[in-house]
Every structure is written in structure tokens, then in C-alpha cells.
């Protein structure tokens, strides 16, 4: 462990009111202290105590926190860093309800994470792309003013092709080697692949431990981190192995999108568009007016798109957690899209890109059945093109490839493929196996060369 040159010197002035009242603390920092930590992949990292904010747990009321801003009170030469309270969307599942926190700078507000950590041991599951950007910040948020918490991490390779059993075992290996117990908390830090794998690992390790989602992509923030769907892929189909397992909370720090590549951003927008098509026509119309601002990462536009998407997802999950009917409608375009991902190769196209092409195919089939008019077809094609998303599958996909993969789709029941299709005015859909098979064949032939 590296030597620490400067110690942290702080002075605390406390005005002590009557018993059982809140305490006001005023803190001055001089110098800093770094703490060395060990990770499974990264050999040395450090945490710096924040110079402008300190949170102290109240001893007589463990759940409350007393926060002092040292920069404002004790040192006017240091500018104050303000913290905006997050927007909170609640996923209503009775005793298993949990909050979705949405906002800028949430990883700089450690109480949001710490209030949902159970026990004293935490395992952060992330990947080699996200770890250098945000792992230190998450460890700091977990340990700042909270020295009894011990944090381990496992850094996985990045990509859909690693969403498999071999990679999942690396999470279990680290948890077992670290001797984590049933009181531990797993934290998923990354996009949809990390969230799905970490959640499945949490559902399986010691038959279930707590976990928290910190999604860092639009795709994960608006869809996959919410609702408790976890799992891995099989070579014959996507997400065929998994479990429904809800997190303790979802923390969406929109600042993490600052480092997201444009292609990943557009991929996530495919899921945003989906909500408008299946259940929220007003939201779809808002997207038509704001698509360029959304792709330009306008903070207010991006925040609203995430919030409204989470509200739609939370409402559906609250009504149908295990996807017995209503929740399946969230998979518009996914049967076609998953076939593209499986047939073309995991990771060749991003999930949202495959879903976008699949959505166009589902809309085309809906039109062939006479369930929607051509104005909806045109609007869907137009908005996906503006979002810089594909509107047709890759040329390598054939009719037979689609049919063979879709035959093992999770929505097949008693040998019958059920699909989510649009029906009626914008914002309405059905989940059904009661459709003319010729319409499906005609759609596949229209989009495939053979």
C-alpha cells in the first residue's frame, strides 16, 4: 500500500440542541487522506474524502443523516457545490417497492446509495469500459463517511457476446473468494448487459442477495435497469436463461451519459420511441418535436425522456411484474429484434438497433393485418431515421433464420408465437397469437432477400 503523505485534519464545531433534536455540524478540511483499496482487476485505486461536504450518521437515529457544507460555512474562498434533489419514480410492488432516482450529480450524493446498502459488504459488478470512468466515484459514494463498509469489485469484458454463463461465473468466483454472505449487496454499474448479469448473479448467489442498479447507458436507464428482468443469453436465443428479481433501488445519474458514444445513445432512444408507440401517444408526439435536441443531449430534454420512460415502465411493471400479459407489450419489435441479434451474431448490432428494425417489421405486419393506417407506418419510419437507427434488418438475415430463432422466443406458448402488434390509434397495441400467419410470412419476405 502506498504511503500517505498528508493526513486529513478537520475541526468540528457542533451546536448541540435539546435531546433527540438534529445536530448542526460545521467542518473544516486541511489536507486530505487517501485510502488504498484492492480490486480483482485494477491493482490500486484510492478514495479522496470530499473537501466540501461531509455526511455523519446520527447515533441515536441511524436512518437519519446530518450533512454539513464546510466550504460555505468555514471557507468562503472555496465555491459551494450545490446538490439538486433527484426526481423519484416509484415502482409499486407492495413490500418490494423501490425508488428510481433520476438526476444530475447523484453519484456525488452518497446518502442515496448508502441508504439502500444492506450489511457491510458490497460487490460492484462493472466492465472494462465503465470501470475507469466511474468505479472510483461509486466506491467513494459507498464509503464516504461510512468506514464500516468494505467494497470489492469484479470487472468483466465489455459486450453482448460476453453475456454468457462463462462470464457470469466470474461474478460468482469473486463473491465466493471474497466470502460474501447473505447480508451483502451487489451493485450493477454499467449498461444493460452488466445490469442483467449482476441481477441474475444476485438472484442466484446464496439463493438471493440484495442488489442496486446504477445504469450508465440510455438503454439501461430507460428500460433494462427497471423491472427486475435479469439473465444471460444462450447461443440459440437471447435472454433465455434468467429470473425476475427486483433491485433495492435504481440510481440514474444522467452525468454518466456525457461519456456515452453517439451510437449507444441512439440505441437507447429506440426503447424511448417504443413507449410512445405502445401506450403514450402524447410522449411520441413530444419525441417528434424534440428528437434532434434529444440526440444533441440537451439536459432538460434528456432528463424528461428518461423520466417519462421510467414512469411508463414502472406503471406496467407494477401491474404485471412477471409478464403474464400487459408487460409483454413492452417488447414491441423484440421478437424480430432478438432474431436479428441471434442470427447476425451477438454484438454485431446493438440491442436498440435490432429493436428499431424489429419495430419497423412489427409495424409493417400490423399494417398488413389492417390494424393501423399508413400514417403510423410513415411516422415510425421517419422518427427512427431521424434517430439514426436502422429501419430494416441486415442483408444476411433470411426468412428461415427469422423463423428458426423466433420459434424459441420466450413469448411462444403451446407452440404458438405471440407478437406485440399495433392496433388502432397511435399509442395502442395488442399482445396476441391470433393473427393471419400469411401477414407474418409476407412481412418476412418483404424485408429479407431469401
Amino acid at each position: 500500500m502506498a504511503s500517505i503523505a498528508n493526513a486529513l485534519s478537520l475541526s468540528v464545531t457542533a451546536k448541540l440542541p435539546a435531546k433527540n433534536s438534529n445536530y448542526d455540524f460545521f467542518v473544516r478540511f486541511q489536507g486530505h487522506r487517501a485510502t488504498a483499496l484492492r480490486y480483482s482487476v485494477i491493482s490500486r485505486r484510492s478514495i479522496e474524502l470530499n473537501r466540501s461536504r461531509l455526511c455523519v450518521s446520527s447515533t441515536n437515529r441511524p436512518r437519519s443523516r446530518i450533512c454539513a457544507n464546510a466550504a460555505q460555512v468555514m471557507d468562503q474562498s472555496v465555491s459551494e457545490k450545490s446538490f439538486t434533489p433527484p426526481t423519484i419514480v416509484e415502482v409499486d410492488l407492495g413490500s418490494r417497492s423501490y425508488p428510481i432516482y433520476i438526476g444530475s450529480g447523484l453519484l456525488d450524493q452518497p446518502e442515496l446509495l448508502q441508504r439502500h446498502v444492506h450489511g457491510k459488504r458490497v460487490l460492484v459488478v462493472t466492465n472494462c469500459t465503465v470501470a475507469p470512468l466511474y468505479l472510483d466515484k461509486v466506491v467513494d459514494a459507498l464509503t464516504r463517511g461510512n468506514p464500516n463498509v468494505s467494497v470489492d469489485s469484479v470487472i468483466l469484458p465489455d459486450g453482448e457476446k460476453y453475456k454468457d454463463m462463462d462470464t457470469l461465473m466470474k461474478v460468482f468466483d469473486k463473491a465466493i473468494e471474497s466470502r460474501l454472505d447473505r447480508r451483502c449487496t451487489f451493485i450493477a454499474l454499467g449498461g444493460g448487459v452488466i445490469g442483467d448479469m449482476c441481477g441474475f448473479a444476485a438472484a442466484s448467489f446464496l439463493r438471493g442477495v440484495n442488489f442496486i442498479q446504477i445504469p450508465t447507458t440510455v438503454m439501461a436507464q430507460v428500460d433494462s435497469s427497471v423491472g427486475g428482468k435479469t439473465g444471460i443469453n444462450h447461443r440459440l436465443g437471447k435472454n433465455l436463461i434468467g429470473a425476475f428479481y427486483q433491485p433495492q433501488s435504481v440510481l440514474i445519474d444522467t452525468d454518466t451519459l456525457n461519456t456515452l458514444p453517439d451510437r449507444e445513445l441512439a440505441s437507447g432512444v429506440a426503447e424511448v420511441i417504443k413507449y410512445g408507440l405502445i401506450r403514450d401517444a402524447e410522449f411520441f408526439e413530444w419525441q417528434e418535436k424534440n428528437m434532434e435536441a434529444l440526440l444533441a443531449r440537451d439536459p432538460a430534454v434528456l432528463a424528461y425522456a428518461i423520466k417519462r420512460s421510467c414512469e411508463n415502465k414502472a406503471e406496467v411493471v407494477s401491474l404485471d411484474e412477471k409478464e403474464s400479459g400487459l408487460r409483454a407489450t413492452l417488447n414491441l419489435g423484440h421478437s424480430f429484434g432478438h432474431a436479428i441479434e441471434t442470427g447476425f451474431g451477438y454484438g454485431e448490432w446493438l440491442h436498440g438497433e435490432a429493436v428499431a428494425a424489429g419495430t419497423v417489421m412489427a409495424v409493417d405486419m400490423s399494417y398488413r393485418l389492417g390494424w393501423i393506417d399508413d400514417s403510423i407506418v410513415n411516422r415510425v419510419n421517419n422518427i427512427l431515421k431521424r434517430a439514426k437507427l436502422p429501419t430494416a434488418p441486415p442483408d444476411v438475415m433470411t426468412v428461415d433464420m427469422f423463423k428458426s430463432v423466433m420459434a424459441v422466443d420466450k413469448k411462444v406458448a403451446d407452440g404458438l408465437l405471440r407478437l406485440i402488434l399495433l392496433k388502432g390509434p397511435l399509442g395502442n397495441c395488442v399482445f396476441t397469437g391470433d393473427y393471419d400467419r400469411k401477414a407474418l410470412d409476407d412481412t418476412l419476405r418483404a424485408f429479407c432477400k431469401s
Side-chain angles (χ1 to χ4, degrees):
M1 182 179 295
S3 62
I4 301 171
N6 297 322
L8 172 69
S9 173
L10 61 87
S11 60
V12 179
T13 303
K15 181 181 180 181
L16 302 180
K19 185 178 181 181
N20 297 327
S21 298
N22 289 339
Y23 295 82
D24 294 324
F25 283 83
F26 302 97
V27 185
R28 178 185 292 276
F29 287 84
Q30 294 177 337
H32 71 274
R33 182 177 64 185
T35 302
L37 298 174
R38 289 179 299 181
Y39 293 92
S40 59
V41 175
I42 299 174
S43 61
R44 178 182 179 272
R45 290 184 177 272
S46 64
I47 307 169
E48 284 192 13
L49 295 177
N50 190 292
R51 293 171 181 262
S52 63
R53 185 175 174 86
L54 176 68
C55 291
V56 183
S57 297
S58 169
T59 55
N60 57 348
R61 289 186 300 174
R63 291 182 176 270
S64 66
R65 303 191 69 77
I66 304 165
C67 299
N69 191 311
Q72 179 185 31
V73 177
M74 301 298 293
D75 190 352
Q76 299 298 329
S77 64
V78 180
S79 62
E80 176 186 3
K81 183 173 182 179
S82 61
F83 294 94
T84 303
T87 296
I88 301 177
V89 176
E90 189 77 14
V91 181
D92 185 5
L93 291 170
S95 61
R96 292 175 297 106
S97 298
Y98 57 90
I100 307 167
Y101 301 108
I102 306 169
S104 172
L106 300 192
L107 288 176
D108 294 315
Q109 302 181 45
E111 66 276 9
L112 295 178
L113 265 184
Q114 292 180 16
R115 70 177 60 157
H116 296 287
V117 171
H118 293 193
K120 298 179 180 180
R121 302 293 302 280
V122 175
L123 178 65
V124 180
V125 181
T126 186
N127 66 34
C128 57
T129 300
V130 176
L133 299 171
Y134 301 112
L135 181 54
D136 281 346
K137 185 177 280 285
V138 169
V139 173
D140 179 44
L142 289 165
T143 58
R144 194 187 314 168
N146 197 23
N148 293 325
V149 167
S150 172
V151 181
D152 292 282
S153 73
V154 58
I155 302 174
L156 306 178
D158 185 12
E160 185 79 27
K161 64 182 179 181
Y162 299 109
K163 190 179 174 183
D164 58 17
M165 189 64 72
D166 289 341
T167 307
L168 181 68
M169 283 298 160
K170 297 181 186 299
V171 181
F172 293 130
D173 290 345
K174 183 62 181 179
I176 295 169
E177 290 167 2
S178 301
R179 298 185 180 181
L180 301 185
D181 58 31
R182 284 180 171 170
R183 287 280 294 163
C184 74
T185 297
F186 283 17
I187 293 182
L189 173 64
V193 171
I194 287 296
D196 280 9
M197 285 203 295
C198 179
F200 188 31
S204 307
F205 182 63
L206 301 179
R207 297 188 174 91
V209 297
N210 304 301
F211 91 107
I212 295 169
Q213 290 267 20
I214 306 179
T216 60
T217 67
V218 174
M219 174 67 68
Q221 291 179 357
V222 303
D223 186 67
S224 61
S225 69
V226 179
K229 274 190 179 182
T230 71
I232 57 174
N233 300 330
H234 188 276
R235 61 181 178 81
L236 297 178
K238 185 177 171 68
N239 293 332
L240 295 181
I241 304 166
F244 287 98
Y245 196 68
Q246 301 295 342
Q248 296 295 308
S249 66
V250 179
L251 190 145
I252 299 174
D253 188 334
T254 55
D255 290 353
T256 60
L257 300 181
N258 294 337
T259 55
L260 189 68
D262 289 343
R263 185 184 174 193
E264 291 272 4
L265 178 73
S267 175
V269 170
E271 297 284 3
V272 175
I273 293 170
K274 169 196 73 179
Y275 291 114
L277 290 173
I278 64 172
R279 67 189 318 269
D280 195 344
E282 184 178 345
F283 186 32
F284 185 84
E285 292 164 358
W286 176 88
Q287 294 166 31
E288 289 180 310
K289 296 175 183 176
N290 292 278
M291 182 53 65
E292 281 67 36
L294 182 58
L295 294 179
R297 306 172 194 244
D298 179 285
V301 172
L302 199 54
Y304 179 77
I306 294 168
K307 171 181 174 291
R308 191 73 197 112
S309 296
C310 286
E311 288 172 341
N312 275 291
K313 182 76 178 275
E315 183 178 345
V316 171
V317 170
S318 297
L319 294 171
D320 180 19
E321 179 184 4
K322 300 292 180 69
E323 200 170 286
S324 59
L326 175 64
R327 184 170 178 177
T329 63
L330 296 173
N331 292 313
L332 175 70
H334 283 57
S335 291
F336 296 101
H338 287 171
I340 292 170
E341 291 183 271
T342 304
F344 193 29
Y346 294 131
E348 294 298 322
W349 272 20
L350 297 177
H351 176 63
E353 293 169 338
V355 166
T359 297
V360 173
M361 296 176 75
V363 170
D364 176 86
M365 183 175 165
S366 302
Y367 177 69
R368 292 177 188 274
L369 289 166
W371 291 357
I372 59 173
D373 60 43
D374 60 357
S375 68
I376 293 179
V377 177
N378 294 331
R379 291 172 75 180
V380 170
N381 275 274
N382 181 53
I383 198 168
L384 288 171
K385 288 177 180 176
R386 288 171 59 196
K388 298 179 173 55
L389 289 165
T391 55
D395 291 342
V396 299
M397 293 298 296
T398 66
V399 172
D400 287 342
M401 289 171 69
F402 270 107
K403 286 187 172 181
S404 65
V405 177
M406 293 169 78
V408 295
D409 188 275
K410 296 188 297 300
K411 293 177 286 299
V412 171
D414 298 324
L416 183 66
L417 174 62
R418 297 174 294 171
L419 293 170
I420 296 88
L421 301 168
L422 302 187
K423 190 172 186 178
L426 183 69
N428 291 274
C429 69
V430 292
F431 173 48
T432 182
D434 185 16
Y435 54 83
D436 185 349
R437 271 24 190 196
K438 184 178 182 300
L440 174 58
D441 290 341
D442 289 346
T443 291
L444 292 176
R445 282 194 293 267
F447 284 89
C448 300
K449 292 182 178 180
S450 61

